[in-house]
């Protein structure tokens, strides 16, 4: 992808929302608003106290010029200044302490809201999430808000209060000299705004180039083993290098667009003293102001724009954090899955699909799928890769909701069953088994949190897992991952099956549960599945056809449609797609070249 392509893609991106962070946290400040107001008040009071030393210096100089300075007056003002500095520092410390408490409480509420909302989203919503993106969205982005709330808000308010206070003070002392001190500031910040607008037109292309660079580097590193084996380092590195070069070009272009006016701003913003001093000397010469007034203007005016620069730094941080906050806001705005929270009486545990249509991202996957899986029977779903087998299975526990048609359990549409009841009714064993970094017992007990040790062991025995578990260093107390033992795919699968057995759900969905098992593990898993299926409605997605030859019903899926259905013997004799799949499977088992199905 070239730079021009990045720019074309970026044109479709929305403009950055620099205040997304504030909009995100405002609803979660409830319960902490009084503490935040206290932080603002203390920070503002700290600003006033920081100006006391300047005022005492002005009084001392004024008294000295007038010839009325005495030691008692000077010491009194010095003590007042010292006390104000200490009290101001204490007030700012208290303000930051309060704001940190507010920040942590707010982030706590935000994360709880995210967790609750994510629990209400379809499970399929997270299927394409890379683990790094998920961590960034749930952990990293909310964490960045701590700086905005704990530092940005109180320091921003105090900076604005300081600027306004000094502006009023200068205008009261002498409006003419105040204008000399002030006028350069709005000019400077107008230049800054123009510079930011000039550079911001590169923002979408810059973000696109940064994403492309990150993706290219991650892919290069992740695929290093393949790159080395096939000796393609030069070609693989070329894409990453091109992405980095394009990123550098865009960043340089952004800097070149910003620097002329931005550099002028940086040079001009703190030059108030250049205008105060000559104009002040003229007024002093004319007797319009006192020497003490001129010195006060020099002290205050030299740093007149400093609070606004601190405010701008806080805005810059706000804008940076807001990019991630927009993603968090989009997650919270995602439409939750319908849940009426009702617990209904189910006449049976039959599963019925009626004219079900479904697709991902506008691309149809299932078309008019209809079948009935009777309670206590085994229904197998087979077909070529990409035919829609796993999609059919995932619709039963509502990982996604159908786009048309309906799925019913015991005559009740699954969308009318409360999600808690549905999750209690359906157990799902995935092809890729997920186990927590915890003990084996804890992973099995996840199917029934209050299960006794005896029930856990019984489930493991039924899943043909007890023997290998007993041989581990700490048996059921052995930890998995995170410094614990590493299990084979078949062993992990049997623990997942033990978890499903312990759950004791009346409907079991197996999505290619033996896909990665070796022959020994596959035999053990098959024995476990025979226990698991007893008296339950079992839906099995399989590509090893011999494992489902005894199924009560086999559904053959092709291009999102059920093209054949029946028992194994009838389908083999029928000469259709299943017969060809079976022929290919048996030829492959015999070491012969499979026939082309299409």
């Amino acid at each position: 992808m070239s730079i021009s392509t990045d720019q074309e893609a970026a044109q479709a991106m929305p403009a950055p929302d620099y205040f997304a962070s504030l909009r995100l946290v405002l609803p979660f400040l409830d319960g902490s608003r009084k503490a935040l107001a206290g932080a603002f008040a203390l920070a503002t009071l700290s600003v006033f106290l920081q100006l006391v030393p300047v005022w005492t210096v002005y009084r001392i100089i004024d008294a000295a010029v007038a010839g009325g300075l005495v030691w008692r007056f000077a010491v009194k003002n010095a003590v007042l200044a010292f006390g104000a500095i200490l009290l101001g520092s204490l007030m700012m410390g208290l303000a930051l302490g309060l704001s940190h408490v507010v920040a942590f409480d707010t982030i706590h509420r935000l994360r709880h809201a995210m967790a609750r909302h994510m629990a209400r989203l379809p499970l399929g919503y997270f299927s394409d999430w890379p683990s790094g993106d998920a961590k960034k969205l749930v952990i990293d982005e909310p964490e960045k808000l701590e700086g905005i709330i704990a530092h940005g808000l109180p320091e921003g308010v105090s900076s604005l209060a300081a600027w306004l206070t000094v502006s009023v003070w200068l205008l009261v002392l002498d409006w003419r000299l105040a204008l000399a001190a002030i006028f350069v500031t709005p000019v400077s910040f107008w230049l800054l705004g123009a510079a930011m607008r000039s550079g911001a037109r590169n923002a979408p292309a810059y973000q696109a180039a940064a994403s492309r660079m990150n993706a290219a580097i991650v892919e290069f590193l992740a695929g290093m083993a393949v790159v080395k084996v096939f000796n393609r380092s030069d070609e693989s590195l070329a894409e990453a290098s091109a992405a980095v070069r394009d990123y550098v070009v865009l960043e340089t272009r952004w800097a070149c667009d910003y620097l002329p006016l931005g550099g002028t701003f940086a040079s001009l913003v703190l030059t108030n003293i250049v205008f105060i001093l000559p104009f002040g000397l003229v007024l002093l010469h004319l007797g319009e102001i006192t020497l003490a007034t001129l010195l006060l203007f020099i002290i205050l005016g030299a740093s007149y724009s400093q609070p606004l620069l601190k405010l701008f730094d806080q805005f810059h941080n706000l804008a940076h954090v807001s990019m991630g906050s927009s993603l968090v806001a989009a997650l919270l705005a995602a439409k939750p899955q319908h849940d009426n929270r009702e617990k209904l009486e189910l006449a049976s545990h039959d599963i019925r699909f009626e004219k079900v249509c479904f697709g991902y991202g506008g691309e149809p996957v299932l078309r008019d799928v209809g079948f009935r899986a009777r309670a206590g029977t085994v229904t197998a779903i087979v077909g070529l890769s990409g035919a829609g087998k796993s999609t059919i299975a995932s619709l039963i526990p509502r990982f996604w909701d159908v786009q048309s048609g309906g799925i019913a359990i015991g005559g009740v549409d699954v969308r009318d069953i409360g999600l808690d009841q549905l999750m209690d009714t359906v157990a799902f064993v995935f092809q890729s088994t997920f186990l927590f970094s915890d003990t084996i017992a804890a992973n099995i007990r996840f199917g029934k949190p209050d299960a006794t040790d005896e029930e856990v062991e019984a489930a493991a025995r039924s899943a043909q897992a007890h023997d290998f578990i007993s041989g581990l260093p700490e048996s059921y107390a052995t930890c998995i991952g995170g410094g614990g033992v590493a299990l084979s795919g078949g062993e992990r699968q049997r623990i997942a099956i033990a978890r499903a057995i312990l759950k004791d759900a009346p409907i079991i969905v197996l999505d290619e549960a033996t896909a990665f098992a070796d022959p020994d593990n596959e035999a053990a898993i098959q024995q476990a599945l025979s226990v698991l299926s007893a008296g339950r409605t079992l839906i099995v997605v399989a590509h090893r056809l011999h494992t489902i030859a005894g199924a009560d019903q086999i559904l053959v899926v092709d291009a999102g449609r059920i093209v054949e259905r029946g028992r194994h013997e009838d389908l083999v004799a029928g000469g259709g797609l299943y017969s060809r799949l079976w022929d290919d499977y048996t030829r492959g088992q015999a070491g012969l070249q499979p026939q082309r199905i299409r």
Side-chain angles (χ1 to χ4, degrees):
M1 184 183 291
S2 65
I3 296 178
S4 60
T5 308
D6 276 336
Q7 290 175 323
E8 290 170 3
Q11 287 176 354
M13 297 173 63
D17 182 357
Y18 296 127
F19 295 98
S21 298
L22 292 181
R23 271 191 286 274
L24 176 63
V25 301
L26 280 177
F28 300 100
L29 286 172
D30 289 338
S32 299
R33 294 185 186 275
K34 290 183 179 179
L36 186 60
F40 287 168
L42 289 169
T44 304
L45 181 59
S46 172
V47 167
F48 290 122
L49 290 170
Q50 290 169 9
L51 294 175
V52 170
V54 179
W55 178 68
T56 58
V57 169
Y58 166 69
R59 293 185 67 199
I60 290 172
I61 294 175
D62 192 42
V65 172
L69 180 63
V70 295
W71 277 108
R72 184 176 180 180
F73 180 81
V75 171
K76 180 181 177 181
N77 279 277
V79 171
L80 180 62
F82 182 70
I85 291 172
L86 289 180
L87 189 57
S89 299
L90 176 62
M91 293 297 178
M92 182 54 75
L94 290 173
L96 291 177
L98 274 176
S99 64
H100 274 81
V101 171
V102 171
F104 296 139
D105 285 346
T106 302
I107 294 171
H108 174 76
R109 284 190 286 268
L110 171 61
R111 284 188 172 140
H112 266 275
M114 291 176 68
R116 287 193 298 268
H117 187 72
M118 290 166 70
R120 297 171 59 205
L121 294 173
L123 292 179
Y125 182 91
F126 308 100
S127 59
D128 295 328
W129 273 26
S131 59
D133 287 356
K135 175 185 176 295
K136 184 173 185 293
L137 191 64
V138 178
I139 304 298
D140 298 343
E141 295 303 341
E143 195 67 32
K144 293 177 184 177
L145 295 171
E146 183 267 337
I148 297 297
I149 302 170
H151 294 278
L153 292 179
E155 291 179 10
V157 168
S158 64
S159 296
L160 184 60
W163 177 73
L164 290 173
T165 302
V166 170
S167 299
V168 172
W169 193 1
L170 294 180
L171 287 168
V172 169
L173 284 173
D174 189 281
W175 66 271
R176 297 162 300 177
L177 200 53
L179 290 179
I182 291 172
F183 91 93
V184 71
T185 298
V187 173
S188 300
F189 277 90
W190 180 87
L191 290 171
L192 175 63
M196 291 179 64
R197 286 191 296 273
S198 178
R201 63 191 178 192
N202 297 291
Y206 170 83
Q207 291 176 12
S211 297
R212 177 194 168 205
M213 178 184 69
N214 292 335
I217 291 174
V218 169
E219 182 176 319
F220 175 73
L221 295 176
M224 185 61 70
V226 177
V227 169
K228 286 184 175 294
V229 167
F230 288 93
N231 195 25
R232 300 292 296 273
S233 299
D234 292 342
E235 294 88 339
S236 299
L237 184 60
E239 168 60 21
S241 299
V244 172
R245 284 194 298 269
D246 289 349
Y247 174 82
V248 170
V249 169
L250 280 166
E251 187 162 335
T252 303
R253 181 182 300 166
W254 193 340
C256 290
D257 287 343
Y258 171 84
L259 278 176
L261 294 177
T264 305
F265 157 79
S267 302
L268 192 62
V269 67
L270 295 177
T271 59
N272 310 75
I273 189 67
V274 174
F275 303 95
I276 294 171
L277 191 57
F279 190 59
L281 289 173
V282 170
L283 292 177
L284 181 66
H285 177 71
L286 296 175
E288 296 290 330
I289 60 172
T290 65
L291 177 60
T293 300
L294 177 58
L295 291 175
L296 180 63
F297 267 88
I298 290 173
I299 294 171
L300 293 176
S303 58
Y304 175 75
S305 299
Q306 197 67 46
L308 292 181
L309 284 177
K310 289 180 65 177
L311 192 62
F312 170 72
D313 287 340
Q314 296 300 335
F315 171 76
H316 182 269
N317 292 335
L318 177 69
H320 179 71
V321 173
S322 288
M323 293 183 184
S325 297
S326 298
L327 300 177
V328 176
L331 171 67
L332 292 174
K335 186 178 180 180
Q337 194 169 32
H338 169 71
D339 182 12
N340 59 17
R341 301 182 181 275
E342 292 187 12
K343 189 167 185 177
L344 306 175
E345 285 292 333
L346 303 178
S348 69
H349 293 111
D350 290 2
I351 301 173
R352 182 185 292 276
F353 275 59
E354 294 185 359
K355 297 183 178 179
V356 169
C357 295
F358 178 77
Y360 303 101
E363 291 293 324
V365 175
L366 302 180
R367 302 170 179 84
D368 294 323
V369 171
F371 67 90
R372 182 180 182 183
R374 294 185 180 276
T377 66
V378 177
T379 297
I381 305 174
V382 302
L384 298 171
S385 296
K389 306 184 297 296
S390 293
T391 299
I392 292 174
S394 67
L395 293 178
I396 297 171
R398 290 186 68 193
F399 289 3
W400 301 98
D401 279 332
V402 300
Q403 292 163 352
S404 65
I407 302 171
I409 295 177
V412 179
D413 194 298
V414 293
R415 290 167 292 190
D416 296 329
I417 302 173
L419 287 176
D420 286 345
Q421 182 184 2
L422 183 62
M423 292 302 103
D424 288 339
T425 303
V426 180
F428 202 104
V429 179
F430 297 88
Q431 174 181 338
S432 178
T433 302
F434 177 80
L435 298 179
F436 296 95
S437 296
D438 204 336
T439 65
I440 289 178
N443 272 279
I444 296 175
R445 191 174 276 114
F446 202 78
K448 184 182 177 184
D450 58 350
T452 64
D453 291 343
E454 291 74 18
E455 288 175 316
V456 170
E457 182 177 328
R461 287 183 182 277
S462 297
Q464 307 299 310
H466 176 73
D467 289 344
F468 84 78
I469 293 174
S470 300
L472 294 174
E474 298 179 66
S475 189
Y476 285 85
T478 302
C479 284
I480 302 172
V485 299
L487 302 179
S488 70
E491 291 170 339
R492 295 171 67 89
Q493 198 66 270
R494 278 181 274 168
I495 290 176
I497 292 172
R499 186 161 60 192
I501 291 173
L502 191 60
K503 182 178 179 180
D504 197 26
I507 297 175
I508 308 292
V509 181
L510 305 172
D511 188 3
E512 302 198 18
T514 63
F516 302 125
D518 56 52
D520 290 339
N521 273 310
E522 183 182 1
I525 291 173
Q526 283 298 113
Q527 291 183 49
L529 294 181
S530 66
V531 174
L532 184 63
S533 62
R536 296 178 174 91
T537 307
L538 191 64
I539 306 293
V540 182
V541 176
H543 74 278
R544 293 184 177 180
L545 299 186
H546 72 281
T547 63
I548 49 88
D552 298 286
Q553 174 184 212
I554 298 174
L555 306 176
V556 185
V557 183
D558 186 30
R561 298 179 185 276
I562 296 178
V563 294
E564 297 177 52
R565 68 186 73 205
R567 296 185 64 87
H568 170 76
E569 297 80 5
D570 298 330
L571 293 174
V572 169
L577 176 57
Y578 183 84
S579 176
R580 297 194 295 274
L581 288 171
W582 179 256
D583 183 61
D584 272 1
Y585 175 77
T586 53
R587 290 175 64 86
Q589 292 295 102
L592 302 175
Q593 182 67 32
Q595 301 291 325
R596 290 181 65 88
I597 291 179
R598 296 186 182 278

